[in-house]
Structure formats: structure tokens, C-alpha cells
Amino acid sequence: MGQDNRSDKVSQTSLTRRTVLSGAAAIGLSTVARAQQPAEVKVGLIVPLSGIYTRPGQVMRMGAEMGIEHINAQGGIKSLGGAKMKLVVIDCGDTTEKAKNAAQRMVAQEADLVAATGSYLSSFTLAVTEVTERAELPMLTLSYSDLLTERGFKFIFQTAAPASRQSELGLPELMKLAEAASGKRPKTVAMLMDNTATSVATAKALKEKIFAQEGLQLVVEEVWTPPLSDATPLIQKVRSARPDLLLFMPNAISDAKLGLEKINEFGLGQGKIPTVSFSITIAEPDMLQSVSTDAVQGIMTVVANWGSKGHEALIAELKAKYKEPWMTQNVISTYGDMWLMKAALEQAGKADRLSVAQAFRTMDGGPSKHYPGGQLKFDEKGRRVGAGVVIVQWQSGVPVTVYPSDLALAAPFWPKKS
């Protein structure tokens, strides 16, 4: 009997010990699992925050901050246990050399970044992505240049339609609008542009294909290197030629101001020569610091994105939080990039840049919400499938979306040539 009692005690003790050890092991595994889930996930924003392109960089930061705030408020990255996204901001400066150096610092000092976005100007993005590609860091960009996704890179993802495609989509729509409003199509065109990568790519597509397709004769072509010191010689040539249409493509706000001031000084503004751009710069709020609302009335620009129908709540929040009068492409695209990164992280299930890059490559997120047209899906080059364009027009002191109709906040009109 005593032996049986001792045996029972040994058995109970052994069982208790096994139970405790088993429980401890389970707790340990749970702790390890939790430890493997990061508390935060770092994403980068590399944009110009100094020099002549500071303003676009500042508003891109606003869009990124809003996106991060909204994502974290809604529970962060659920597949990573609710990990919060953390924004790391890098100033790429105002030259390609500064941009390249900034990218090298970024990948060296922020080794735990899982993705990044930027860099505003295509010339900067070309330099930055040479560095991020070697570091195998997935890079989203709203930059337009076709070259960005023609280099065979595997870690760049272009959310905007490339410049050549924007030309193909945008100019024919403008020609239709001109014909509907005035009863005739423009026949002659002048083109004034800077020599940045975006403008060069846009001009190449226009000259090689679109002008001939639309029956336009190029009568003036002038190119400058930013910053523009004097717009007088450019506008004098336009005044002499008196084209039916002026394409004015600056990418620095200071250049846009100089050009528009001179256009109006020479009596060519306010519809006398209808002016169109392929640049967001001409629709920046800062334009009204130098030119009147009358001077910009009717000017249109073809861009890859803009605050449009469906973004009303975001536009209102931007106004309240940052005192921005309207939502440019730089804000809404960068805001969308944060959500695109979140989607990739959710799909990847790990805070690892190679996994995030693969998630971008295989993503099929359905219709795009924060970019015009197409899908949240990338082709083999890294271009967003079906990416569209937006046409924005200055109306009563505000640049509003007028095309496509499903995103339009106002109806377009064609300035009267006199």
C-alpha cells in the first residue's frame, strides 16, 4: 500500500513537472512568436526638402504623414500583429548628385527600411533608383520618365503613367475639347520646356508621334536648364509665331512663375494663346503668389494624379491640418503609396524588403483608389497596369480636375483665342 502511494506521488510529481515544462515551453514559443513580430515597420520618403524643388517635397511629406497616421489609427499591419508603420524622411536636395548621395546615405544608415517612395523629379529618381536597386530596396515613384522602368530593374514600381503614355492619353483629349468649344482644331503649336527627364520624355513622344497624329505643326521649340533666369527670349519667339496652342512645361515653381509673368506681360495670357502644360508645377498653390487668378484662368495641365471626386474627405483634412488650399498630385499619390506599402506588407506577412518587393510584383489589388484609372497591379517592367491621367484646369483661382468625367469636379472649357 505504501509502495503504491509512493508510486502515485512520483507519478503525480512527474505529471506536474511535465505539465509545468509543457506550459513553460508554450509560453516561451508564444513569447518568441511575439518577439518576431516587429513593433514598427520603417518606410522611407526621399524627396527634395531644400533648394528650388523644396515645395513639392514638403507636400509629398504631408501626403505620407497623413497615410501613415490613417493606417496606424486603423490597426497598423494586421499580418504583423498590428505593427505600426514609421516614416523615415530623407532630403534628396535639388541636384542629381545630391539625390544620389542622399540615397547612398539612406540605404547605409536605414538598413531596416522595407520600402521607400520619392523622389519628385524624374532626374532625381533615376539617380536614386540606381542606388536602391543595388540595395534591393523596393521603390515606389510617381515620377514620369519612361526611362525609369526601361532599365530592366526589379525593385522599382511606377504608380504614374509614364510620360509617353500621358502624352498619348492627354493631348488628344485637349484637341477634342478645343474643337468642341471653338469649332476648329488647333493647327500650330509652340513648346517651351526645361531639360529635366520628365519634360524630355514628354517632348519625345509628342514630336515622334502625337503631333503628327493630331495634325499639329511645331513652330517653336525652346529648351532651358532650371533655374530659368529670364523668360523674355522664349516668350518673344512665341509672340512672333502666334501659335494656336502653347505647351509650357516647367518643373520648378520659380520657372513657372517667370514664364507666366512674361506671357501676360507680352499680352499672350488669358486665352489669347491657349496654354497647356504637362507638369503639376503650373498648378501649385505658390503660383498665385506671383500671378493673378486672371493670369492663370483657363490654363490646363495633363498630370498623373490630382485630388478628385472620391477624395473630398482627404482634401478637407489636408486643408484643416496643413492649410493647403487644394490637393496636388504630390499629396494624393504619396498618400496612396503608404497604402500600397501596407497592402504589400499584409501580403508579405513579414517586414522584409525582398518579401515586400515580391508582394508588389505579384499584387492584384483590384481597381485603383488613390491613382487615376487602372489596377493596383504592376507589369513585368514595374509599371502600374492601366494607369491613366488627369486633366486639371485653373477655374476661378483653383486648379480643378476636369477629366476624366468620373473623377471630374468641374466641367472643362477652352480659353478663347483673340
Side-chain angles (χ1 to χ4, degrees), residues 53-361:
Y53 302 104
T54 297
R55 175 72 175 144
Q58 289 173 334
V59 294
M60 290 173 79
R61 184 174 188 166
M62 295 172 194
E65 288 174 348
M66 283 177 62
I68 294 285
E69 183 179 326
H70 291 172
I71 290 165
N72 289 342
Q74 293 178 33
I77 311 302
K78 295 177 175 59
S79 71
L80 297 177
K84 305 300 184 187
M85 286 177 67
K86 181 179 180 181
L87 186 68
V88 177
V89 181
I90 299 97
D91 176 15
C92 73
D94 60 355
T95 67
T96 54
E97 188 61 31
K98 289 177 183 177
K100 182 179 180 180
N101 290 339
Q104 290 170 337
R105 289 194 305 274
M106 177 177 72
V107 299
Q109 298 172 8
E110 303 291 346
D112 50 354
L113 287 178
V114 298
T117 185
S119 306
Y120 176 61
L121 206 63
S122 288
S123 302
F124 300 168
T125 309
L126 284 163
V128 165
T129 49
E130 291 284 347
V131 177
T132 55
E133 184 72 14
R134 288 194 297 273
E136 298 183 324
L137 177 67
M139 181 81 179
L140 297 173
T141 186
L142 59 82
S143 294
Y144 295 176
S145 174
D146 293 59
L147 290 175
L148 289 164
T149 42
E150 291 287 358
R151 297 171 294 173
F153 285 7
K154 301 300 182 184
F155 291 86
I156 184 169
F157 303 91
Q158 191 174 31
T159 60
S164 61
R165 182 63 178 153
Q166 290 188 41
S167 303
E168 292 172 1
L169 292 171
L171 190 59
E173 290 299 325
L174 292 168
M175 296 291 281
K176 290 177 190 174
L177 175 59
E179 188 171 18
S182 64
K184 60 181 181 179
R185 294 168 66 86
K187 296 295 184 184
T188 56
V189 60
M191 184 164 63
L192 309 179
M193 53 178 274
D194 65 22
N195 62 356
T196 62
T198 295
S199 297
V200 170
T202 302
K204 183 174 185 290
L206 290 169
K207 290 191 294 181
E208 290 182 355
K209 178 181 179 182
I210 315 298
F211 285 159
Q213 174 185 300
E214 298 299 322
L216 280 168
Q217 179 189 357
L218 182 62
V219 294
V220 174
E221 180 183 5
E222 291 294 323
V223 182
W224 75 88
T225 299
L228 180 62
S229 57
D230 183 8
T232 302
L234 306 178
I235 308 306
Q236 281 177 333
K237 292 185 178 181
V238 175
R239 184 173 63 175
S240 297
R242 299 295 292 191
D244 297 328
L245 180 65
L246 169 61
L247 300 185
F248 178 48
M249 298 186 288
N251 281 286
I253 292 171
S254 58
D255 292 359
K257 289 177 179 177
L258 281 176
L260 287 186
E261 285 169 357
K262 197 61 63 173
I263 286 170
N264 282 278
E265 180 185 320
F266 278 56
L268 305 179
Q270 302 180 47
K272 293 181 177 63
I273 295 183
T275 301
V276 170
S277 191
F278 283 83
S279 159
I280 64 168
T281 308
I282 208 163
E284 290 278 8
D286 291 34
M287 291 302 303
L288 295 182
Q289 294 176 5
S290 294
V291 296
S292 68
T293 56
D294 288 342
V296 293
Q297 176 72 358
I299 290 177
M300 285 180 276
T301 187
V302 179
V303 293
N305 205 355
W306 205 258
S308 304
K309 187 183 292 183
H311 302 148
E312 290 86 352
L314 289 174
I315 294 170
E317 182 177 343
L318 180 74
K319 289 179 179 179
K321 185 169 185 176
Y322 294 102
K323 312 305 178 191
E324 286 294 305
W326 53 80
M327 180 170 273
T328 69
Q329 166 189 280
N330 290 322
V331 181
I332 188 61
S333 284
T334 313
Y335 177 87
D337 287 353
M338 298 301 110
W339 284 97
L340 204 53
M341 290 177 186
K342 170 184 160 55
L345 282 161
E346 296 286 10
Q347 183 174 320
K350 57 178 73 173
D352 170 76
R353 61 179 59 173
L354 294 179
S355 300
V356 169
Q358 184 60 16
F360 282 136
R361 294 184 197 113

Side-chain angles (χ1 to χ4, degrees), residues 16-32 34:
T16 303
R17 187 179 292 120
R18 284 197 301 271
T19 304
V20 169
L21 289 171
S22 176
I27 292 169
L29 287 172
S30 176
T31 302
V32 170
R34 283 198 299 271

Side-chain angles (χ1 to χ4, degrees), residues 358-400:
Q358 184 60 16
F360 282 136
R361 294 184 197 113
T362 57
M363 181 181 291
D364 190 356
S368 170
K369 183 177 180 181
H370 300 116
Y371 317 99
Q375 306 291 308
L376 294 180
K377 182 177 182 179
F378 295 94
D379 66 16
E380 67 282 356
K381 290 184 176 181
R383 293 178 175 175
R384 191 169 64 83
V385 175
V389 296
V390 170
I391 297 176
V392 175
Q393 183 173 43
W394 278 97
Q395 296 186 4
S396 303
V398 178
V400 293

